[in-house]
């Protein structure tokens, strides 16, 4: 049977990946209410198509924070991708390059940032930063990302303390011993490099990540790096204002794939109000629950300029390595193009809030 959508890849990956590994990658925080909501909330938005417009030349080219792209669809940072398939981060970075979208590399990757840069020179790459208690280690990560040609630093703001994932407590997932966190090299970094000695990823993160970080650290980062800083994990208007005022060039509206605090809103629920207040001041981007082209279209219509997927790329890797990741991105890209054709939008800049309505509008009719 051909795999024709992300859901097909997800089902196939669930069959392939051993249970304790799968649970780490699949799961969300707490009762997984927000995990389901991230996907479900898209269904509450309807697309309003316009017809009899020449849609022969649909084009998804766009420019995000200086990166010229063929598509607004990109790959969100996810940890330790070589656990899923040996192609890992390099496979995903090359897949993003193939469709002309952004690849964001996680701090906790199983391939070093330099190796990824070397293996995928033509992909637009951003580096996701966790702030470690060891500040000189954090600083060296930023400098290395600058030197290796990454085009932005994505500071994750929602993970000073790790979320409580029941799957982690049950299965205590650990990085297999043949893999390492390869952004950490040398003696000084050996604690950060290895998960050995910790009972699982949660204990590792809580021991290594700096829980005392505040907006003053964003201020520090903005001044420290020559690259644009993007705050990832914004869910409220107030934090969007702060990100802007502390000098971030962009934000990613994200709830960390619902892996941090359960009961937070779906990201698509909060996107419109955030765009409303800071959409003219900075680049608003989005992730969480995106599984098809219509989801991408809806996020763009609500004001996002780029839309990232996390788990779908892991399922692509699990099924067929880099080729699977490429296929997942191609499927969603083709679905976006089809959605644009069928709704009368030729360019991504044509996709505006005129093309979308929340279901509550219909209940008033
Ligand atoms: C297994 C897994 C690992 C993740 N690792 C990171 C990470 O290292 N850094 C980070 O900022 N976000 C991380 N995230 C969150 C993603 O960047 C992204 O916000 C989320 O996956 C988007 O939701 P989606 O999976 O529904 O597309 C991770 C998510 C998953 C599922």
């Amino acid at each position: 049977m051909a795999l024709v959508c992300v859901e097909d890849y997800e089902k196939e990956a669930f069959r392939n990946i051993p249970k304790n590994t799968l649970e780490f990658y699949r799961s969300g925080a707490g009762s997984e209410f927000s995990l389901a909501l991230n996907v479900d909330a898209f269904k509450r938005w309807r697309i309003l198509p316009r017809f009899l417009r020449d849609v022969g030349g649909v084009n998804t080219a766009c420019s995000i924070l200086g990166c010229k792209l063929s598509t607004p669809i990109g790959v969100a940072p996810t940890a330790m991708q070589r656990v899923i398939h040996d192609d890992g981060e390099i496979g995903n970075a090359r897949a993003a390059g193939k469709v002309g979208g952004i690849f964001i590399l996680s701090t906790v990757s199983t391939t070093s940032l330099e190796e990824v840069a070397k293996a995928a020179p033509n992909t637009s790459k951003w580096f996701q930063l966790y702030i470690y208690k060891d500040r000189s280690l954090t600083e060296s990560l930023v400098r290395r990302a600058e030197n290796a040609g990454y085009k932005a630093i994505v500071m994750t703001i929602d993970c000073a303390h790790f979320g409580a994932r029941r799957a982690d407590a049950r299965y205590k997932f650990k990085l297999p011993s043949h893999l390492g966190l390869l952004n950490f090299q040398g003696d000084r970094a050996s604690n950060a490099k290895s998960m050995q000695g910790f009972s699982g990823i949660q204990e590792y993160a809580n021991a290594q990540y700096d829980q005392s970080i505040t907006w003053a650290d964003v201020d520090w980062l903005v001044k420290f790096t020559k690259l644009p800083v993007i705050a990832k994990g914004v869910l409220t208007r107030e934090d969007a204002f702060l990100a802007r005022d502390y000098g971030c060039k962009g934000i990613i509206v994200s709830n960390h794939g619902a892996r941090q605090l359960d009961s937070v809103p779906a990201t698509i629920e909060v996107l419109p109000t955030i765009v409303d207040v800071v959409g003219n001041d900075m680049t608003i981007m989005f992730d969480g629950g995106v599984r098809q082209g219509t989801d991408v279209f809806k996020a763009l219509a609500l004001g996002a300029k780029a839309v990232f997927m996390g788990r779908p790329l892991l399922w692509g890797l699990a099924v067929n390595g880099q080729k699977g990741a490429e296929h997942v991105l191609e499927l969603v890209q083709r679905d976006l193009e089809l959605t644009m054709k069928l709704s009368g939008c030729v360019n991504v800049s044509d996709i505006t809030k005129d093309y979308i309505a929340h279901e509550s509008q219909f209940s008033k009719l």
Side-chain angles (χ1 to χ4, degrees):
M1 201 180 71
L3 304 178
V4 302
C5 59
V6 168
E7 233 182 317
D8 288 352
Y9 268 91
E10 182 176 298
K11 280 189 194 136
E12 192 66 15
F14 279 29
R15 276 196 285 269
N16 289 356
I17 306 174
K19 179 79 174 162
N20 70 333
T21 307
L22 175 65
E23 281 301 296
F24 170 74
Y25 287 88
R26 176 209 63 77
S27 61
S31 68
E32 302 189 340
F33 168 77
S34 298
L35 180 66
L37 194 61
N38 265 358
V39 173
D40 282 353
F42 278 102
K43 298 180 191 148
R44 310 212 176 106
W45 294 94
R46 317 277 194 261
I47 295 171
L48 304 172
R50 298 294 312 278
F51 302 117
L52 297 181
R53 296 170 162 192
D54 180 351
V55 291
V58 156
N59 184 351
T60 60
C62 55
S63 179
I64 311 284
L65 292 171
C67 296
K68 291 206 176 333
L69 305 164
S70 315
T71 176
I73 301 169
V75 179
T78 54
M80 304 176 290
Q81 295 173 6
R82 286 186 60 201
V83 174
I84 295 290
H85 189 282
D86 209 38
D87 287 356
E89 289 85 2
I90 288 178
N92 262 340
R94 286 181 171 161
K98 200 86 187 277
V99 296
I102 291 164
F103 172 77
I104 310 179
L105 181 72
S106 169
T107 293
V108 280
S109 60
T110 38
T111 317
S112 74
L113 65 92
E114 287 86 0
E115 275 178 86
V116 173
K118 210 164 125 210
N122 301 323
T123 303
S124 295
K125 296 171 293 296
W126 295 352
F127 182 72
Q128 178 268 325
L129 183 71
Y130 283 129
I131 308 276
Y132 277 62
K133 285 177 184 161
D134 181 342
R135 286 307 175 100
S136 59
L137 202 61
T138 311
E139 289 178 9
S140 88
L141 285 171
V142 176
R143 289 286 179 253
R144 284 169 54 200
E146 290 172 347
N147 292 336
Y150 289 74
K151 298 291 183 221
I153 302 292
V154 178
M155 178 176 161
T156 298
I157 65 166
D158 60 12
C159 200
H161 191 282
F162 223 55
R165 301 162 202 161
R166 293 176 189 168
D168 287 349
R170 283 189 192 114
Y171 296 97
K172 302 214 184 318
F173 172 79
K174 260 192 186 177
L175 190 59
S177 56
H178 70 284
L179 296 172
L181 299 181
L182 293 196
N183 281 328
F184 303 100
Q185 293 145 345
D187 288 348
R188 226 187 67 252
S190 60
N191 254 353
K193 180 178 179 173
S194 165
M195 231 169 259
Q196 310 312 321
F198 297 103
S199 74
I201 175 89
Q202 186 167 0
E203 198 185 295
Y204 168 87
N206 288 337
Q208 300 287 331
Y209 301 170
D210 188 348
Q211 295 180 16
S212 73
I213 55 171
T214 67
W215 287 98
D217 296 285
V218 175
D219 185 48
W220 162 77
L221 181 61
V222 166
K223 290 176 179 144
F224 181 75
T225 180
K226 58 177 194 215
L227 296 176
V229 171
I230 297 161
K232 173 175 182 282
V234 172
L235 284 177
T236 60
R237 300 196 299 182
E238 292 75 9
D239 277 349
F241 283 133
L242 285 166
R244 179 196 63 190
D245 295 347
Y246 277 92
C248 294
K249 293 280 186 277
I251 56 176
I252 304 181
V253 173
S254 170
N255 58 21
H256 212 110
R259 290 162 76 80
Q260 286 297 98
L261 179 62
D262 197 20
S263 277
V264 292
T267 44
I268 199 71
E269 292 178 317
V270 295
L271 178 64
T273 58
I274 292 173
V275 169
D276 233 20
V277 294
V278 293
N280 291 329
D281 305 337
M282 62 204 303
T283 303
I284 315 291
M285 294 162 281
F286 177 88
D287 75 26
V290 174
R291 301 293 180 262
Q292 49 196 344
T294 49
D295 300 339
V296 179
F297 184 96
K298 289 173 186 181
L300 295 175
L302 292 172
K305 299 292 180 219
V307 176
F308 297 94
M309 294 187 292
R311 292 178 185 83
L313 276 301
L314 300 173
W315 310 151
L317 273 185
V319 172
N320 197 15
Q322 181 183 328
K323 290 227 159 344
E326 274 173 29
H327 193 215
V328 162
L329 284 170
E330 279 161 13
L331 286 170
V332 180
Q333 168 67 13
R334 269 188 246 138
D335 198 27
L336 170 63
E337 289 170 11
L338 181 65
T339 307
M340 289 170 69
K341 285 188 182 177
L342 295 177
S343 59
C345 295
V346 177
N347 297 302
V348 283
S349 56
D350 298 335
I351 308 172
T352 65
K353 58 179 190 295
D354 294 342
Y355 293 85
I356 193 162
H358 191 262
E359 67 178 8
S360 56
Q361 277 179 248
F362 301 108
S363 58
K364 286 185 206 124
L365 296 178

